[in-house]
Amino acid sequence: MSHPFKKVIIAGAGPAGLLLGLLLAQEGIQVHILEASHELNTQPRAAYYGPAAIPDLKKAGIINKIRSRGLSPTFMSWRRGGTFEQIASLDGELLGDIEGQDLRKACLVLNELNQIMLEDFLYKYHGTISWEHRVVDTGQDENQAWVDVEVEESEEPIRIYGDYVVGCDGGKSAVRKSLFGDEFPGFTWDRQIVATNVYYDFAKYGFRDLTLVIHPRHFYLVARLTLDGLYRVTYGESPGLTWEEMKARLPLKFELMLPGNPTPKDYKIVNMSPYKIHQRCAPSFRKGRILLAGDAAHLCNPWGGLGITGGFVDVGGLYECLAGIWHGKADDSILDIYSAKRIEMYKTVIDPASQANLRRTTDCNPGTILTRDAFLQACKRGETDERLRKELLLASLYIRYDFTQHYKNKPKE
């Protein structure tokens, strides 16, 4: 059977690029991933993948590996900073069986998930990856697209051709900049974030899977990563500090904000990484044969896990569109629908929800927040109302969209 295109180039071997490469390679599509670094990123980043991303991880054939090597966290709570009194909680155990599907969150540190996807992409589906290939520009005509790539062995960028180019090269995406320059509408928060992986006995203080501590200055989230006691602690820092200053301040921050007021002898830091947080969305996720997904397309703060989850849902949607074209079930106008629908989901769900999550966690008066916050009130009622709790949990699926409904001659349900 002949196909309308042959090759997809993906810029970036991060989670979005690897998942898209894996999904497309499963269809027999030739995929070439280009990665600027010499290896996968090992810095502490996302580790929790929300219910909306689970169908795409399942489609890629990796969800069972993720759950067997990691966790399936279900319990989320909000606590007041200082007293650590629980304000409200949301137990997602019932997501374990939604019409026969296990839609519970999945947890595995991102570098391990990336390794799983990379191995399947390379060895199971025979995809191609080139390390130390930094995409610096893109181009296209009516027949093909291309990327210009910096490589060590050439003084001038080399050009690599394909039928489509997908930018999955992160928040500083060169692919996006080649399309829109510095235009990346939105804003950068005036707070810095520090992500740490740390061994500390949070269970002793009643912390379970995911805990969000509300405080105007010492706000943070604690996420259990492994069964042996490794946790992700992501906290806010003052703007303008250098990396050395943030490292020097960590013991004081932990002593002030964590339960038990620990000193360095009480915990073990595995790694830490600072980053700025943004709320931004590209003007379009498609320009001809060049497309965007994940952080290259949009950014949001990490409270609620909507960045990585939304990126995986982007990828699942783009896969449906490209696979539909590949199999002759859709023409390339479906890619305009991809762009429009994913931007709509970002602007109507991901952006406002993630902003609300962070503002809730930094509330100036945690002692009265339950009287003012409708979402926390609903979670509190959901503790004893299973129907409401299920409704709250399933709301996270709203960011999904079925692009196969736009396939040609698809039977209407």
Side-chain angles (χ1 to χ4, degrees), residues 119-314:
E119 290 174 1
D120 278 7
F121 174 71
L122 290 176
Y123 306 121
K124 193 172 182 180
Y125 298 104
H126 310 295
T128 301
I129 187 166
S130 295
W131 303 101
E132 298 182 287
H133 278 56
R134 181 182 300 278
V135 173
V136 294
D137 203 358
T138 68
Q140 60 183 310
D141 58 30
E142 61 181 12
N143 298 314
Q144 61 188 343
W146 59 83
V147 290
D148 291 334
V149 183
E150 289 181 349
V151 293
E152 186 175 347
E153 57 269 23
S154 174
E155 292 184 2
E156 297 295 327
I158 63 171
R159 182 161 289 183
I160 299 175
Y161 293 89
D163 295 285
Y164 293 99
V165 170
V166 184
C168 295
D169 48 342
K172 297 179 180 179
S173 170
V175 174
R176 186 190 65 248
K177 290 179 179 179
S178 76
L179 301 178
F180 305 111
D182 292 330
E183 186 181 4
F184 198 16
F187 69 92
T188 298
W189 294 85
D190 63 354
R191 301 174 184 270
Q192 295 189 95
I193 297 297
V194 179
T196 67
N197 288 349
V198 57
Y199 283 98
Y200 182 58
D201 191 2
F202 285 101
K204 181 168 67 174
Y205 302 97
F207 285 35
R208 293 170 63 179
D209 293 326
L210 178 61
T211 304
L212 298 102
V213 177
I214 300 175
H215 192 279
R217 296 188 312 280
H218 304 305
F219 63 95
Y220 60 99
L221 64 84
V222 178
R224 185 168 66 121
L225 299 181
T226 64
L227 293 174
D228 70 347
L230 182 66
Y231 287 83
R232 167 70 47 75
V233 177
T234 300
Y235 63 91
E237 257 294 9
S238 302
L241 295 177
T242 66
W243 177 217
E244 292 302 319
E245 288 171 330
M246 283 186 273
K247 285 192 288 187
R249 280 168 54 90
L250 184 142
L252 176 61
K253 289 287 290 187
F254 272 22
E255 186 172 359
L256 287 172
M257 69 185 189
L258 298 188
N261 306 111
T263 59
K265 64 179 175 55
D266 301 314
Y267 54 80
K268 177 184 177 183
I269 298 289
V270 176
N271 48 23
M272 61 185 294
S273 179
Y275 53 97
K276 294 181 179 179
I277 48 176
H278 314 268
Q279 306 288 144
R280 297 186 181 275
C281 183
S284 176
F285 294 0
R286 182 203 184 188
K287 197 168 185 179
R289 295 175 174 272
I290 303 173
L291 302 130
L292 301 173
D295 284 358
H298 53 79
L299 296 171
C300 70
N301 76 78
W303 265 255
L306 289 168
I308 186 68
T309 297
F312 281 158
V313 175
D314 284 350

